[in-house]
Every structure is written in C-alpha cells, then in structure tokens.
Amino acid sequence: MYNFFIFLYNIGVWVATFFSKKVSTMWKGEHETFRILQEKVDPNAKYIWFHAASLGEFEQGRPIMEKIKKEHPEYKILLTFFSPSGYEVRKNYAGADIIVYLPIDTIGNARRFLRTIRPVMAFFIKYEFWSNYLHILKHRQIPLYSVSSIFRPNQIFFRWYGKGYGEVLNCFTHFFVQNEESKQLLHSIGIDCVSITGDTRFDRVLQIRDAGKSLPIVEAFLGLDSNPNTQQPTPNTQHSPVFIAGSSWPPDEDIFIKFFNEHRNWKLIIAPHVIGEDHLKQILSKLQRKTIRYTEATTENVRDAECLIIDCFGLLSSIYRYADVTYVGGGFGVGIHNVLEAAVWNKPVIFGPNNKHFQEALGLIKAGGGFEIKDYGEFTGLMRKLEGNNDFLQKTSKEAGQFVESLAGATDKILEEVKL
C-alpha cells in the first residue's frame, strides 16, 4: 500500500512540475542526486548521513553536524534535503562534505542510495519517516537516530488505522524527543528506546547569538554608538525605543504598522518573510512615516529615517540584538517563525495566535518572555504596558533570555548516547 502511494505521489509530482517552479526544481534536483554521488563519494570514507526535510530541520541538525565535524574528523557528513527551501539555501554549507536532494522513497532508490553511500549511521531530524529508506537501514543494521522529534496523539502512528505504517518507528535505534508527551506516546505503542533531550534549536540560536555581527547601517539608523567590548550597542542620549518585526506577513503588518503610524516615538525595523517587490511595495503603501530600504541605505542617509525595511536575507538573527521589543510573524496564517532567534538576545517576543504546535512559543509564554496577541486591541494594550512600565519590560526581557539558556544542551546529551 505504501509503495503504491509513493508511485501515485511520484506521478503527481511530475505533473506538478509543469505548474510550479519549486516542484520543478525539486524534481530536477532529485534526478541529479545519483550523478552527484557518483562524482563525490569517497569509497574509503566513513559517512554519517543527516536528513532534513527543509531549512528549519537543518538548523536543528546543524549543531550535531558541526560538533561531530569538529571532534571526529575521521567521519564525513552527507546531508540530504527533501525541500528546495532547504537545499537551495544550504547547498553550499561548508559543514557537510556532500549535499544532495533525497530521491523519492522507492525501494529501488533506497537500495541504490544506501549502496552508494554505505553510511555508518544516520540522523533523521524531527519528522521524516520514509519507510523504504528506514527499513533498509534497519536491515543493514545501520544505527538510526531521530533527533529533536516531537509526537502528538493525532499522528497516524497512534491511530487504529496507522498500526501498519507505525512499524516504521521500530526501525530507529533511539529517539531523542523534545518532551514527556512524546516519550509516553512512543511507550504506548511499545517503543522505549527514548530519551528526552529537548530541542537542538536552543543550542543553535546560542551559536547564532555568539556569532552575531554589528551592522553599521542599522546602528546609524538607530543613532547608536558601537561598543566592540559588548554584545549590545550603546545608546546615545537621543535613543528612541526600537521595535523589530521579523519574518512578517501582511496580516502581521496590518496590526503593528497601524500602531507605529500613530506612535511616532518608536523606531521601526521590518524584516518581512517574503522579500519580493510586490510585498515590499505593499508595506511601503501602509507606512505613513519616513522609510528607507536597507539596500538603498547608507550610514548618512539612514539617520533621518523612522522606519527601516530589511530587503535582503541573512541579517535578521543579528538585527534582533538592537530591539527593545520584538515581533515574530506567521501567527495569523502559516504558523509562527523562529521566536528563539529574538528571545536569545534577552528580548520579549510578541506573536499571533497560530502557535499551539510550537513548543518553544508555548514555553516562552509560560516563562513570561513571550506574548500572544489576537488582534490590534490586544497588541495596543501590550505595547502600552511595555512602553510605560520599564520594570515590566526589563523583567520580560530577562525571562526571555533565561528561557533559552535554561533549555540548551540537547546536542551534548544526544552525542553522549550516540557511540561514535
């Protein structure tokens, strides 16, 4: 049944290539995989295979890859992606020796792939349960680990009709899960090779923070003087409070732009999730304040602006350091983006209501460093409280940072269990 579904899926993907550039990119990438492997695989090397569906899962696996690479140079790293949004962004990642798309999960592809690589062990990040790959890994007695995984009662493995497919979970040597509920759900179907290690994303955002860079244009916009001896810039005497919105979508922007059009004492930085000309023009049409794009800014012409739009990639994780209050988008649609990148800088984080499947957001709310808002009225009330009560602002800032620090360490816990 599973292989018949994969057959139909493969036909569906092929048809979709005629209508979707993203699907076409993925299709072509998958069909290039074996050629790339034939060119690059060292038959005498010992490969550790990491598989990530997309960019978010890659970030969860990255601390483990980099620690193995540093402490065990005798191994080479093979990194595979399912989605173009992961592969196309990280295809030149220096921490892996070979990076390719994972071919669709047919028996033939799985056998050929594993025969070519012959990995000594494999790590599948968070989700991804490709039955043929996993069963062949088990048949070949190759250690297989699930990292930062999280399970919920409504998943197919825990339904009466999913018992057959649930056998795929028995292929794993060990599960490193994020919470107690996941452990108990696995136990309910007879799987006890489970450790609660938390989420490796906490380790990753600490790495990102420690590698954070100063941004002269942002500092000029905010009227700040850089201090090379600290992570935080030093405000001048005319420093205005700073609100930074990251990964925002139009429904998010409708809320916070309306507020900042009326409250002109704040400096506003917007880093939208989609950096396309149509979206950027839409943002500009909503703003009623002097605005400049990052790619058009200099340290001179940016000083008089009231709003800075980040119209390029790769800066957001460093930009959060300059905030007094942060906002992470997606909570009014697709689901919130990475709240930890903001919280790690000791910043309170605001986000929309679609956050119930995001453990880090729920934990941040519970810790007192994160806030859910459902509409403009709630946003306005919260902003007035943060603006008018400095003790409250400092308290929430501290609790956000402490939340991240307290849950770090998953990488070390995982590698203590894995035998390298």
Side-chain angles (χ1 to χ4, degrees):
M1 185 66 180
Y2 175 83
N3 288 315
F4 180 66
F5 168 79
I6 290 294
F7 172 75
L8 295 179
Y9 172 81
N10 209 19
I11 293 174
V13 171
W14 174 74
V15 172
T17 62
F18 296 98
F19 306 97
S20 169
K21 183 178 179 180
K22 181 178 179 180
V23 176
S24 178
T25 298
M26 181 180 72
W27 177 269
K28 291 176 183 177
E30 288 180 4
H31 286 76
E32 283 287 297
T33 291
F34 290 114
R35 179 189 62 79
I36 294 171
L37 293 179
Q38 288 171 358
E39 292 176 357
K40 293 188 175 183
V41 167
D42 178 354
N44 298 314
K46 295 186 294 184
Y47 284 95
I48 296 179
W49 174 24
F50 282 83
H51 176 64
S54 191
L55 192 58
E57 290 79 11
F58 162 79
E59 291 294 333
Q60 289 176 294
R62 184 170 179 169
I64 304 173
M65 282 186 273
E66 293 182 354
K67 194 172 182 67
I68 290 175
K69 196 76 172 171
K70 179 180 178 180
E71 298 183 358
H72 296 276
E74 67 271 23
Y75 295 106
K76 289 183 178 292
I77 302 295
L78 166 71
L79 172 62
T80 61
F81 285 99
F82 174 74
S83 169
S85 59
Y87 177 82
E88 297 301 326
V89 175
R90 293 302 181 199
K91 60 186 175 183
N92 297 316
Y93 169 59
D97 297 280
I98 302 175
I99 305 173
V100 291
Y101 281 96
L102 183 66
I104 194 68
D105 187 30
T106 65
I107 294 175
N109 280 344
R111 285 174 175 166
R112 184 181 177 189
F113 182 88
L114 292 169
R115 186 169 57 244
T116 303
I117 297 299
R118 300 186 183 277
V120 296
M121 65 180 65
F123 292 84
F124 275 46
I125 313 302
K126 194 174 182 178
Y127 302 123
E128 295 292 273
F129 303 101
W130 297 107
S131 182
N132 291 315
Y133 282 103
L134 299 185
H135 278 97
I136 294 173
L137 282 166
K138 181 181 180 181
H139 177 73
R140 296 188 177 193
Q141 298 182 322
I142 297 169
L144 171 63
Y145 303 99
S146 178
V147 171
S148 291
S149 44
I150 189 165
F151 294 93
R152 300 182 180 90
N154 61 354
Q155 287 175 297
I156 188 173
F157 314 113
F158 312 110
R159 302 286 191 172
W160 64 266
Y161 52 81
K163 185 176 180 181
Y165 181 67
E167 289 296 317
V168 74
L169 299 181
N170 289 310
C171 296
F172 285 89
T173 306
H174 203 91
F175 288 88
F176 299 103
V177 300
Q178 292 190 32
N179 55 28
E180 178 67 28
E181 180 186 29
S182 297
K183 182 178 181 179
Q184 293 305 320
L185 284 169
L186 290 171
H187 178 73
S188 72
I189 57 173
I191 296 175
D192 295 313
C193 52
V194 185
S195 299
I196 303 173
T197 53
D199 191 344
T200 49
R201 275 183 299 179
F202 289 87
D203 299 333
R204 177 60 189 147
V205 294
L206 287 169
Q207 289 178 341
I208 292 171
R209 183 199 66 186
D210 293 343
K213 54 190 176 183
S214 61
L215 301 169
I217 287 177
V218 175
E219 292 178 4
F221 167 70
L222 298 176
L224 303 179
D225 299 317
S226 297
N227 184 343
N229 298 317
T230 66
Q231 286 187 324
Q232 297 288 0
T234 304
N236 66 20
T237 55
Q238 297 180 338
H239 174 56
S240 300
V242 182
F243 183 91
I244 296 177
S247 302
S248 63
W249 293 77
D252 305 299
E253 294 148 8
D254 287 340
I255 289 177
F256 65 73
I257 288 177
K258 180 180 178 182
F259 179 86
F260 291 106
N261 280 339
E262 300 172 358
H263 295 77
R264 307 182 76 90
N265 58 312
W266 285 78
K267 288 273 192 172
L268 175 62
I269 298 177
I270 305 172
H273 182 73
V274 177
I275 301 177
E277 195 60 28
D278 289 344
H279 188 196
L280 294 172
K281 288 180 178 178
Q282 186 181 67
I283 294 171
L284 288 166
S285 71
K286 295 174 183 177
L287 286 162
Q288 298 171 12
R289 302 178 64 177
K290 186 174 181 180
T291 304
I292 190 168
R293 298 188 188 191
Y294 186 89
T295 56
E296 298 173 354
T298 69
T299 54
E300 296 303 320
N301 68 12
V302 77
R303 295 179 185 275
D304 294 330
E306 298 173 296
C307 178
L308 177 64
I309 298 178
I310 309 302
D311 56 350
C312 54
F313 293 104
L315 302 180
L316 181 57
S317 58
S318 291
I319 287 175
Y320 281 130
R321 70 193 292 181
Y322 299 103
D324 291 292
V325 177
T326 67
Y327 183 100
V328 174
F332 288 93
V334 296
I336 56 170
H337 297 289
N338 194 341
V339 298
L340 300 180
E341 282 189 341
V344 74
W345 290 103
N346 300 307
K347 311 297 180 183
V349 189
I350 304 171
F351 40 82
N354 188 2
N355 59 66
K356 301 304 182 288
H357 293 307
F358 298 84
Q359 295 293 307
E360 66 280 9
L362 299 177
L364 197 57
I365 292 172
K366 185 176 180 180
F371 302 91
E372 176 191 301
I373 56 102
K374 296 184 178 66
D375 52 38
Y376 179 73
E378 288 190 0
F379 179 78
T380 299
L382 176 59
M383 285 301 300
R384 286 175 175 167
K385 186 175 181 180
L386 289 165
E387 181 180 23
N389 187 335
N390 188 62
D391 288 341
F392 177 66
L393 174 60
Q394 295 304 315
K395 182 174 182 290
T396 59
S397 300
K398 181 179 179 181
E399 288 170 342
Q402 286 181 341
F403 170 73
V404 178
E405 295 274 0
S406 69
L407 292 175
T411 300
D412 289 338
K413 293 175 184 176
I414 290 167
L415 291 179
E416 284 174 5
E417 177 71 27
V418 174
K419 306 303 179 185
L420 292 170

